[in-house]
Amino acid sequence: MKEYPQENEKSAVASVLGPSAVPIVLRVNGEAHPLLVEPRTTLAEALRGPLGLTGTKIACNQGACSACTVWLDDLVVASCSVLAIEVGERRVTTIEGLAAGERLHPVQEAFIAHDAVQCGFCTPGLVMSCAALLAGNPHPGEVEIRTAISGHLCRCGTYPHVVQAILALAEVEGD
């Protein structure tokens, strides 16, 4: 059993973060952002709160719906399940960083063209997962697309439109 030092002992306990705010730097969409956050702050909360990047949605706050999907380096993650202080040097890409300035990402354009947006709450997370899929596999089939979006909860049921949008985009990209 691990023994913890007593309060009056000098030890590594001094390096424990919290409970008050601690300084971190988040590298989001190509820019470094110094922040003060409580250690319990999730990446999703840091993105939406102090950084004002509200494209990342928080719905379940348990990593079950994927509305908060972002890329951590090149990995698709539920940002409500990652603490902001755990991000470290890794790059964060949000829906706001996917477009090139005013020009939408091809996945965003395909979602619009195929009416895959419905109410729009789940859309940023779905777009992030689909863009990651296409980055790794430019010509996915329906099974791969359905697998990529399988963790996303869309109450409007826009899944068939999403699949058609990505199939059409994969076909165009293949030409």
Side-chain angles (χ1 to χ4, degrees), residues 8-9 15 18-19 38 42-43 51 56 66 85-86 88 95 97-98 108 121-122 128 137 140 143 145 152 164 172:
N8 58 358
E9 291 180 25
S15 66
E38 291 183 6
T42 65
L43 177 56
L51 296 181
T56 301
S66 299
I85 63 172
E86 294 177 318
I95 190 72
L98 201 58
Q108 293 169 310
F121 198 82
C122 68
M128 295 302 290
N137 177 3
V143 171
I145 297 167
H152 290 268
Q164 290 306 310
V172 168

Short mmCIF file of all heavy atoms in Angstrom, two decimals, residues 8-9 15 18-19 38 42-43 51 56 66 85-86 88 95 97-98 108 121-122 128 137 140 143 145 152 164 172:
data_model
loop_
_atom_site.label_atom_id
_atom_site.label_comp_id
_atom_site.label_asym_id
_atom_site.label_seq_id
_atom_site.Cartn_x
_atom_site.Cartn_y
_atom_site.Cartn_z
N ASN A 8 3.19 17.98 7.13
CA ASN A 8 4.37 18.78 7.45
C ASN A 8 5.64 18.28 6.75
O ASN A 8 6.68 18.88 6.88
CB ASN A 8 4.60 18.82 8.96
CG ASN A 8 4.76 17.43 9.56
OD1 ASN A 8 4.67 16.42 8.85
ND2 ASN A 8 5.00 17.38 10.86
N GLU A 9 5.58 17.19 6.00
CA GLU A 9 6.73 16.68 5.28
C GLU A 9 6.88 17.38 3.93
O GLU A 9 5.91 17.62 3.25
CB GLU A 9 6.59 15.17 5.03
CG GLU A 9 6.69 14.34 6.27
CD GLU A 9 6.54 12.86 5.95
OE1 GLU A 9 6.84 12.46 4.81
OE2 GLU A 9 6.13 12.11 6.84
N SER A 15 4.04 19.46 -5.91
CA SER A 15 3.85 19.57 -7.35
C SER A 15 2.44 19.16 -7.79
O SER A 15 2.14 19.21 -8.97
CB SER A 15 4.89 18.73 -8.09
OG SER A 15 4.67 17.36 -7.82
N GLY A 18 -3.72 22.07 -8.28
CA GLY A 18 -5.05 22.35 -7.80
C GLY A 18 -5.09 22.57 -6.31
O GLY A 18 -4.08 22.52 -5.65
N PRO A 19 -6.23 22.85 -5.78
CA PRO A 19 -7.51 22.91 -6.46
C PRO A 19 -7.78 24.23 -7.17
O PRO A 19 -8.74 24.36 -7.91
CB PRO A 19 -8.52 22.73 -5.33
CG PRO A 19 -7.85 23.32 -4.14
CD PRO A 19 -6.38 23.04 -4.34
N GLU A 38 -9.06 25.60 -13.78
CA GLU A 38 -9.09 24.68 -12.65
C GLU A 38 -8.74 23.30 -13.20
O GLU A 38 -9.11 22.96 -14.33
CB GLU A 38 -10.48 24.65 -12.02
CG GLU A 38 -10.84 25.93 -11.31
CD GLU A 38 -12.20 25.85 -10.63
OE1 GLU A 38 -12.81 24.77 -10.62
OE2 GLU A 38 -12.63 26.88 -10.11
N THR A 42 -12.65 20.48 -18.29
CA THR A 42 -12.47 19.62 -19.46
C THR A 42 -11.99 20.45 -20.64
O THR A 42 -12.15 21.68 -20.67
CB THR A 42 -13.77 18.89 -19.85
OG1 THR A 42 -14.73 19.86 -20.28
CG2 THR A 42 -14.31 18.05 -18.71
N LEU A 43 -11.45 19.77 -21.62
CA LEU A 43 -11.04 20.44 -22.84
C LEU A 43 -12.24 21.13 -23.49
O LEU A 43 -12.13 22.28 -23.94
CB LEU A 43 -10.39 19.44 -23.80
CG LEU A 43 -9.96 19.97 -25.17
CD1 LEU A 43 -9.01 21.16 -25.04
CD2 LEU A 43 -9.34 18.85 -25.99
N LEU A 51 -11.93 30.33 -24.46
CA LEU A 51 -11.50 30.51 -25.85
C LEU A 51 -12.63 30.92 -26.78
O LEU A 51 -12.40 31.34 -27.91
CB LEU A 51 -10.81 29.25 -26.37
CG LEU A 51 -9.51 28.90 -25.64
CD1 LEU A 51 -8.88 27.65 -26.24
CD2 LEU A 51 -8.53 30.06 -25.67
N THR A 56 -17.70 23.52 -30.77
CA THR A 56 -17.63 22.27 -30.02
C THR A 56 -18.79 22.25 -29.05
O THR A 56 -18.89 23.11 -28.18
CB THR A 56 -16.29 22.16 -29.27
OG1 THR A 56 -15.23 22.22 -30.23
CG2 THR A 56 -16.20 20.87 -28.48
N SER A 66 -20.66 12.18 -28.55
CA SER A 66 -19.67 12.66 -29.53
C SER A 66 -19.96 14.03 -30.10
O SER A 66 -19.35 14.44 -31.10
CB SER A 66 -19.47 11.64 -30.65
OG SER A 66 -19.00 10.42 -30.12
N ILE A 85 -5.83 20.17 -18.63
CA ILE A 85 -4.44 20.09 -18.15
C ILE A 85 -3.72 18.85 -18.67
O ILE A 85 -2.50 18.78 -18.60
CB ILE A 85 -4.34 20.16 -16.61
CG1 ILE A 85 -5.04 18.97 -15.95
CG2 ILE A 85 -4.88 21.47 -16.09
CD1 ILE A 85 -4.81 18.86 -14.46
N GLU A 86 -4.44 17.89 -19.23
CA GLU A 86 -3.83 16.68 -19.78
C GLU A 86 -3.39 16.85 -21.23
O GLU A 86 -2.66 16.01 -21.75
CB GLU A 86 -4.82 15.51 -19.74
CG GLU A 86 -5.19 15.06 -18.35
CD GLU A 86 -6.23 13.95 -18.38
OE1 GLU A 86 -7.18 14.03 -19.18
OE2 GLU A 86 -6.07 13.00 -17.60
N GLY A 88 -1.37 19.04 -22.74
CA GLY A 88 0.07 19.26 -22.89
C GLY A 88 0.42 19.91 -24.21
O GLY A 88 -0.21 20.88 -24.63
N ILE A 95 -13.84 22.38 -34.93
CA ILE A 95 -14.60 22.64 -36.16
C ILE A 95 -14.23 24.01 -36.74
O ILE A 95 -14.16 24.17 -37.95
CB ILE A 95 -16.13 22.52 -35.92
CG1 ILE A 95 -16.90 22.53 -37.23
CG2 ILE A 95 -16.63 23.57 -34.95
CD1 ILE A 95 -16.78 21.29 -38.06
N GLY A 97 -11.35 25.32 -36.77
CA GLY A 97 -10.04 25.21 -37.40
C GLY A 97 -10.02 24.33 -38.63
O GLY A 97 -9.00 24.22 -39.31
N LEU A 98 -11.13 23.69 -38.92
CA LEU A 98 -11.19 22.78 -40.07
C LEU A 98 -11.26 23.55 -41.38
O LEU A 98 -10.65 23.16 -42.37
CB LEU A 98 -12.40 21.86 -39.92
CG LEU A 98 -12.37 20.56 -40.69
CD1 LEU A 98 -11.16 19.72 -40.32
CD2 LEU A 98 -13.64 19.78 -40.43
N GLN A 108 -17.63 19.90 -44.78
CA GLN A 108 -18.68 20.87 -44.44
C GLN A 108 -19.54 21.18 -45.65
O GLN A 108 -20.77 21.23 -45.55
CB GLN A 108 -18.05 22.15 -43.88
CG GLN A 108 -17.37 21.95 -42.53
CD GLN A 108 -16.54 23.14 -42.12
OE1 GLN A 108 -15.72 23.63 -42.88
NE2 GLN A 108 -16.76 23.60 -40.89
N PHE A 121 -26.93 20.51 -34.00
CA PHE A 121 -26.21 20.37 -32.73
C PHE A 121 -25.11 19.33 -32.81
O PHE A 121 -24.00 19.55 -32.34
CB PHE A 121 -27.18 20.04 -31.59
CG PHE A 121 -26.59 20.29 -30.24
CD1 PHE A 121 -26.57 21.57 -29.71
CD2 PHE A 121 -26.00 19.27 -29.52
CE1 PHE A 121 -25.99 21.83 -28.47
CE2 PHE A 121 -25.42 19.51 -28.28
CZ PHE A 121 -25.42 20.79 -27.77
N CYS A 122 -25.37 18.21 -33.45
CA CYS A 122 -24.37 17.14 -33.55
C CYS A 122 -23.43 17.35 -34.73
O CYS A 122 -22.41 16.67 -34.85
CB CYS A 122 -25.05 15.78 -33.67
SG CYS A 122 -25.94 15.58 -35.24
N MET A 128 -16.17 16.51 -37.84
CA MET A 128 -14.80 16.22 -37.41
C MET A 128 -14.47 14.74 -37.60
O MET A 128 -13.38 14.40 -38.06
CB MET A 128 -14.61 16.64 -35.95
CG MET A 128 -14.72 18.14 -35.70
SD MET A 128 -13.57 19.14 -36.65
CE MET A 128 -12.01 18.73 -35.88
N ASN A 137 -8.56 7.65 -45.08
CA ASN A 137 -9.09 6.78 -46.13
C ASN A 137 -9.91 7.63 -47.08
O ASN A 137 -11.10 7.85 -46.86
CB ASN A 137 -9.96 5.68 -45.50
CG ASN A 137 -10.60 4.77 -46.53
OD1 ASN A 137 -10.37 4.90 -47.73
ND2 ASN A 137 -11.43 3.86 -46.06
N PRO A 140 -13.70 5.84 -48.57
CA PRO A 140 -14.37 4.88 -47.69
C PRO A 140 -15.68 4.39 -48.31
O PRO A 140 -16.31 5.10 -49.09
CB PRO A 140 -14.64 5.68 -46.42
CG PRO A 140 -14.82 7.08 -46.93
CD PRO A 140 -13.85 7.20 -48.07
N VAL A 143 -19.78 1.03 -45.06
CA VAL A 143 -19.47 0.40 -43.76
C VAL A 143 -18.46 1.23 -42.99
O VAL A 143 -18.63 1.46 -41.78
CB VAL A 143 -18.97 -1.05 -43.97
CG1 VAL A 143 -18.44 -1.64 -42.67
CG2 VAL A 143 -20.07 -1.92 -44.54
N ILE A 145 -17.87 4.42 -43.28
CA ILE A 145 -18.50 5.68 -42.87
C ILE A 145 -19.40 5.44 -41.66
O ILE A 145 -19.33 6.17 -40.67
CB ILE A 145 -19.30 6.31 -44.02
CG1 ILE A 145 -18.36 6.66 -45.18
CG2 ILE A 145 -20.06 7.55 -43.54
CD1 ILE A 145 -19.07 6.98 -46.48
N HIS A 152 -21.74 8.67 -32.64
CA HIS A 152 -22.43 9.97 -32.63
C HIS A 152 -23.92 9.78 -32.43
O HIS A 152 -24.55 8.96 -33.09
CB HIS A 152 -22.18 10.72 -33.94
CG HIS A 152 -20.78 11.19 -34.07
ND1 HIS A 152 -20.38 12.43 -33.65
CD2 HIS A 152 -19.66 10.57 -34.54
CE1 HIS A 152 -19.08 12.57 -33.88
NE2 HIS A 152 -18.63 11.45 -34.42
N GLN A 164 -24.51 9.57 -47.28
CA GLN A 164 -24.56 9.98 -48.69
C GLN A 164 -23.59 11.13 -48.97
O GLN A 164 -22.95 11.16 -50.03
CB GLN A 164 -26.00 10.37 -49.08
CG GLN A 164 -26.95 9.19 -49.13
CD GLN A 164 -26.43 8.08 -50.04
OE1 GLN A 164 -26.04 8.31 -51.18
NE2 GLN A 164 -26.41 6.87 -49.51
N VAL A 172 -16.12 12.05 -55.61
CA VAL A 172 -15.57 13.25 -56.26
C VAL A 172 -14.06 13.29 -56.06
O VAL A 172 -13.31 13.57 -56.98
CB VAL A 172 -16.22 14.54 -55.70
CG1 VAL A 172 -15.47 15.77 -56.14
CG2 VAL A 172 -17.67 14.61 -56.13
#
